[in-house]
Amino acid sequence: MTIAVATALGATAPAKPAAKTAAPVSKSAAPSKAPAKSPAAAKPAAKTAAPADTTPAPARKPYANVFADGPGRPIADGACLLCHSPMLVTQQAKDSAAWEKTLTQMIGWGSPVTTAQRDTLRRYLLGHYGTHPPTVK
Amino acid sequence: MSRMDRRSFLRAVARAGLSAAALASFPPALRAALAAAKPAAGAAPDTSGPPEMIVRNDRPEHWETTLEALGRSWITRNDRFFVRSHLSVPTPDLDAWRLEVSGLVHSPLSLTLAQARALPLETDAVTLECAGNGRGLMKLPSTAGTQWGRGAVGNASWTGVRLARLLERAGVAPEAKHVWFEALDQATFPGPPPFLRSIPIEKAMDDVLLALAMNDERLSPLHGAPLRAIVPGWYGMASTKWVTRVRLEDHPSDSFFMAKGYHYVYPGEDPAAAPPVETMRVKSVITRPIDGSEVQLAPRTDNKKKPRLRVQGFAWAGPAGVRLVEVSSDGGKSWFPAGFMGDMAKGAWRAWATEFEVTPPARFALMARATGNDGDVQPLEARPNGSGYANNSIHKVTVRVRLAT
């Protein structure tokens, strides 16, 4: 169930048509008078301010930086790491046709995949980095 | 490959952990170098990396700013600015470096770095957004390219030579219609096409900078040292890094990244007729609250009043600029205008904020929608295109609020 919990406070920007026609969130929730502290008055931190936090969060690396084990891995290791790291590959979720398209491009650009290896590689990529509901990590 | 590039490349490959079979497939020289670059057994795991950044690819660098870091200031710090490189970062010999202006000009120029730095310099705050920003959130049958979240965007103050002034010095021939930016970056292995793009002469004569500095510091190698283009209002791919030659031609560049890459290929439409990716679409991002976070709200001194939740972020658009940001807390049924705050510059994003009265404890979603001066409104869902470009779908964050004790 959706309960109206949030009520917009008065706009500080010049009134726009949207505000006029917007239905109040709840009966008591019509945009009220200007907020105590107008956002316009609250300037963001100084332009080049250092983060307040003294120990910033470390880098996040959401994708595997090695190829998954499997029959095609040696081919991928040999042919797909010369120009970029495996992360560019392991973050993908492609169907067979899309992997085929990528392989054609990479081989065209110099990736040393032999004709004999190509099918094994495509099946390996599809098996490990095939389509699934896309999610951003 | 320069010696430096090669060493870091080898280290990166070694970290990637190659199988014996893969090693065997490399040429002997590369194999020996790889063996030497392999970390010793028992070495600590790789925890290196840029703080507060999401490393979507480490070689070449595809780094995204977290929204926490992005939200801190109108100007994005240099070490929190997103990085997108197609090929590897070049480390040119600065004594030998030249900026050339050639092609359809009356008097070609060749400037040393000292000469370039001695030209009249101008400074503009300009927001750059990767054309692929939000690609990872676009619903596509298959992914393609780097799966960016929302942080491949940033705003910096760029100082450099106004391209128009330089072109005036060289004298533009009447047949010149396109300005090509040639750069120094190359792949670590021969084969991939150079990252070569061009912009129309009208844009080049308008507000483009050849930047030498970013936020008052000389450009770093990652951001295009010693000189890069800054093309306000266009997606980031137009702002070529490591520029060394500006060439005037009567036709646009026909290189891969111009002719084939960076086009909106909509499903079922003729790829040959796909429109090129150029100016940025109107967009806003909520940097506070962070999606999925819990916010503790202070009770109001007057107990009859509800506590307030501050919502803020940035909004930008192409050359038109943004006119309005509205926020909804009811799934888009009603929208309330936010206020703009802080600095303002022609090519730069605008910070916005508003406050909502809330009844904790509660959980709800907030959405922010920007409108451009040209009337373009951010869509709920951007129309998918095969390469996931220009995803300006409305940003929605879910937040839990509690009363602070």
Side-chain angles (χ1 to χ4, degrees), chain B residues 73-377:
Chain B
S73 49
W74 184 69
I75 288 285
T76 313
R77 283 166 48 148
N78 289 355
D79 59 3
R80 300 291 188 279
F81 206 96
F82 82 94
V83 180
R84 162 62 163 126
S85 302
H86 293 75
L87 308 170
S88 65
V89 175
T91 46
D93 170 358
L94 296 184
D95 293 328
W97 184 92
R98 292 290 182 278
L99 172 62
E100 293 179 6
V101 179
S102 67
L104 299 170
V105 291
H106 299 305
S107 39
L109 305 175
S110 175
L111 305 173
T112 65
L113 188 51
Q115 286 170 327
R117 285 178 177 155
L119 293 170
L121 301 180
E122 296 180 44
T123 299
D124 290 334
V126 174
T127 297
L128 294 186
E129 181 186 19
C130 176
N133 193 27
R135 175 185 288 135
L137 303 151
M138 197 177 256
K139 290 180 189 74
L140 294 166
S142 279
T143 58
T146 307
Q147 299 299 296
W148 299 103
R150 288 195 168 77
V153 60
N155 185 50
S157 151
W158 308 93
T159 300
V161 184
R162 186 74 62 196
L163 179 57
R165 300 292 88 75
L166 201 65
L167 295 181
E168 280 158 12
R169 264 181 67 160
V172 177
E175 351 36 297
K177 293 287 180 281
H178 297 268
V179 176
W180 299 29
F181 294 123
E182 295 185 359
L184 292 168
D185 46 337
Q186 285 182 345
T188 47
F189 192 77
F195 187 77
L196 205 175
R197 291 185 47 91
S198 63
I199 58 169
I201 187 84
E202 296 77 20
K203 182 65 181 171
M205 294 305 284
D206 183 13
D207 53 0
V208 175
L209 275 179
L210 294 180
L212 292 154
M214 175 180 187
N215 295 333
D216 301 324
E217 282 173 20
R218 279 190 178 159
L219 280 183
S220 64
L222 271 177
H223 291 289
L227 180 137
R228 70 173 300 172
I230 293 293
V231 182
W234 285 49
Y235 281 111
M237 78 284 148
S239 294
T240 310
K241 299 193 276 189
W242 310 295
V243 170
T244 183
R245 185 179 294 129
V246 175
R247 212 167 94 196
L248 281 85
E249 295 287 346
D250 61 3
H251 61 287
S253 159
D254 56 1
S255 88
F256 175 86
F257 292 105
M258 189 77 191
K260 286 199 139 176
Y262 294 107
H263 279 78
Y264 295 109
V265 180
Y266 295 106
E269 291 187 10
D270 176 14
V277 174
E278 291 180 342
T279 58
M280 295 190 288
R281 290 180 178 169
V282 64
K283 187 165 173 178
S284 65
V285 63
I286 300 172
T287 56
R288 173 180 167 182
I290 294 292
D291 188 32
S293 65
E294 183 178 87
V295 179
Q296 296 204 19
L297 295 178
R300 302 278 295 280
T301 41
D302 174 349
N303 276 327
K304 281 189 221 83
K305 289 196 179 135
K306 292 174 182 173
R308 288 171 173 178
L309 173 71
R310 187 180 170 86
V311 184
Q312 66 184 46
F314 297 107
W316 63 97
V322 283
R323 171 166 77 78
L324 169 69
V325 174
E326 298 156 293
V327 182
S328 173
S329 66
D330 60 1
K333 285 199 282 292
S334 46
W335 294 91
F336 299 94
F340 287 123
M341 58 182 194
D343 299 85
M344 187 173 174
K346 192 173 154 263
W349 64 15
R350 293 223 64 191
W352 55 264
T354 190
E355 287 180 328
F356 281 81
E357 287 193 332
V358 300
T359 314
R363 183 177 182 276
F364 55 93
L366 292 159
M367 295 156 81
R369 174 175 80 181
T371 300
N373 283 311
D374 53 6
D376 279 357
V377 183

Side-chain angles (χ1 to χ4, degrees), chain A residues 18 51 63 66 73 82 85 92, chain B residues 16-17 56 58 77 143 188 326:
Chain A
Y63 315 116
V66 287
R73 178 172 175 188
L82 298 163
S85 65
Q92 304 299 332
Chain B
R56 301 232 173 251
D58 61 355
R77 283 166 48 148
T143 58
T188 47
E326 298 156 293

Side-chain angles (χ1 to χ4, degrees), chain A residues 38-120:
Chain A
S38 136
K43 278 208 43 161
K47 281 186 181 184
T48 50
D53 195 348
T54 44
T55 46
R60 206 145 69 71
K61 299 181 180 177
Y63 315 116
N65 211 358
V66 287
F67 283 119
D69 281 328
R73 178 172 175 188
I75 306 171
D77 280 343
C80 306
L81 301 180
L82 298 163
C83 306
H84 49 70
S85 65
M87 297 171 98
L88 201 51
V89 182
T90 61
Q91 68 188 273
Q92 304 299 332
K94 294 177 189 279
D95 62 20
S96 186
W99 273 123
E100 205 36 52
K101 193 174 156 201
T102 294
L103 284 181
T104 300
Q105 180 144 86
M106 299 306 143
I107 293 166
W109 287 351
S111 173
V113 180
T114 65
T115 320
Q117 292 170 330
R118 186 163 169 154
D119 200 45
T120 311

